[in-house]
Amino acid sequence: MKLFRYSQRTKEQLEFYALISPWFIVFLFLTLFPLLYGLYLSFTNFTGLNIDTLRNVGFNNYRRVFADNDAVYSLTRTLLITVINVPLTTIIGFMLALMLNYKVKGVGIYSSIFYLPTILPIMVTGIIWRVIFTKDGGILNQILDFVGIAPVNWLGYDNISISLLILLAWGSGGGLLIYLAGLKGISQELYESASIDGAKPFQRVMNITVPLMTPVLFFNIIMSIISSLQIFIQPIVLSSNTTNLLATPLRPNYLYSIHAFQQIFAFQRYGYGLAMLWLLFVAIVLLSIIVFYSSKYWVHYEVDQG
């Protein structure tokens, strides 16, 4: 009997490894190996054509990042966009989920509009918003003209960052399903008890919904930080009327990932570009650790985390 149970367990283990093996093989050859090989190349003078004469340059590529004015500028702009975009998209996404959960009139239209960017390619989203932002005949300026406001050059130097933030805010619905799943998990008995005690709707949201949703907010904030620090295609499509990824966007939207991409594919500075990307990876890890550390002060779990 014991031998039968052991054989059954072994069979289950073999089935498990057989099922995950396709994913593991893909991960091994298409993720882990390129990742580690990229790390190795970041310490070399690789230009894309000198694989036979690679030379170890130590940390020179990494030190060069901090001496590169364009890299420092693009990093500063990326952090600024991240600081604005993360709370903006988090608040909009959460408010939209609240509306959907409370069945506000017309909420289906709102949720469809905000969830649309999730299923559309980023390039398409950028092109759509470039049409909307067009100064002459653009939808946004037509709306402004209808209410008596002068047209704005949304794609000009002074407003291009605002246009980028509006475009990014449109993608706030990306975390909608996760927010809704969290809201559905909150017991209705808590709201009924609060109502009996005289709590107003706003008080119920602030004292029940928000605290119990902090684990979901925490997850979405982490994901938003990671995606914001890697923004790449949207600034290019907005600033230049082209789908050429080597095009240079207007200076206010010249972000870190764009600078790294150009170093690699426009100037063949593969080693340097890879060093930039690894520094970005380290920055994402450090910011994630900070948010994880801060979570013990503001994230509330229904079970004791030990």
Side-chain angles (χ1 to χ4, degrees):
M1 189 67 182
K2 184 177 180 181
L3 179 61
F4 174 78
R5 286 202 299 269
Y6 178 80
S7 299
Q8 183 66 24
R9 184 179 178 186
T10 302
K11 181 182 177 183
E12 291 175 353
Q13 289 177 337
L14 289 174
E15 289 175 349
F16 169 75
Y17 288 119
L19 287 172
I20 69 165
S21 59
W23 173 87
F24 184 74
I25 292 171
V26 171
F27 170 76
L28 193 65
F29 290 100
L30 298 183
T31 301
L32 186 60
F33 174 72
L35 198 67
L36 296 178
Y37 191 57
L39 177 63
Y40 161 70
L41 291 176
S42 71
F43 290 98
T44 69
N45 63 338
F46 185 49
T47 62
L49 298 173
N50 62 338
I51 194 68
D52 295 329
T53 58
L54 279 184
R55 180 168 52 85
N56 190 332
V57 297
F59 285 93
N60 285 352
N61 286 330
Y62 289 87
R63 283 192 288 266
R64 184 178 171 184
V65 176
F66 299 99
D68 182 350
N69 290 333
D70 287 337
V72 174
Y73 173 82
S74 61
L75 178 60
T76 305
R77 297 300 301 181
T78 302
L79 291 175
L80 178 63
I81 293 292
T82 301
V83 167
I84 299 173
N85 182 54
V86 171
L88 182 66
T89 54
T90 301
I91 292 172
I92 293 176
F94 184 58
M95 295 297 293
L96 192 66
L98 283 177
M99 291 168 58
L100 188 61
N101 193 51
Y102 285 102
K103 300 178 181 177
V104 175
K105 187 177 180 181
V107 73
I109 298 174
Y110 304 141
S111 59
S112 298
I113 293 172
F114 277 89
Y115 198 73
L116 197 59
T118 307
I119 58 176
L120 286 177
I122 296 177
M123 188 70 78
V124 174
T125 303
I127 293 173
I128 290 173
W129 276 97
R130 183 172 175 80
V131 173
I132 293 174
F133 286 133
T134 301
K135 183 179 180 181
D136 299 322
I139 297 174
L140 194 53
N141 274 342
Q142 288 187 20
I143 295 173
L144 293 179
D145 183 59
F146 181 76
V147 296
I149 299 176
V152 177
N153 186 10
W154 295 102
L155 301 177
Y157 185 92
D158 294 334
N159 300 307
I160 194 68
S161 292
I162 297 175
S163 302
L164 176 62
L165 288 170
I166 294 174
L167 187 159
L168 296 173
W170 191 46
S172 302
L176 194 61
L177 294 180
I178 301 175
Y179 282 128
L180 283 174
L183 289 171
K184 297 296 182 187
I186 299 176
S187 172
Q188 291 301 312
E189 294 177 355
L190 294 173
Y191 293 113
E192 292 169 2
S193 299
S195 297
I196 293 173
D197 292 338
K200 303 296 182 185
F202 181 75
Q203 292 174 314
R204 293 199 294 270
V205 169
M206 295 305 296
N207 295 313
I208 297 175
T209 306
V210 172
L212 292 179
M213 283 292 289
T214 49
V216 179
L217 288 167
F218 168 68
F219 172 79
N220 277 334
I221 287 173
I222 289 286
M223 299 306 293
S224 183
I225 290 174
I226 294 173
S227 62
S228 296
L229 289 173
Q230 299 180 81
I231 293 171
F232 171 64
I233 294 178
Q234 298 95 325
I236 295 175
V237 179
L238 273 185
S239 297
S240 52
N241 190 19
T242 176
T243 56
N244 179 12
L245 296 181
L246 289 177
T248 304
L250 291 178
R251 191 66 173 169
N253 279 356
Y254 191 71
L255 304 184
Y256 190 82
S257 293
I258 297 171
H259 187 59
F261 188 85
Q262 294 214 338
Q263 296 307 305
I264 294 173
F265 295 106
F267 303 108
Q268 284 73 52
R269 298 167 184 159
Y270 284 76
Y272 176 54
L274 289 168
M276 288 188 65
L277 294 178
W278 270 100
L279 284 177
L280 178 63
F281 173 75
V282 171
I284 290 173
V285 171
L286 289 177
L287 283 174
S288 300
I289 290 173
I290 292 172
V291 177
F292 264 96
Y293 179 77
S294 71
S295 67
K296 64 183 180 182
Y297 298 107
W298 60 275
V299 177
H300 305 282
Y301 294 98
E302 293 187 70
V303 294
D304 188 8
Q305 297 297 300

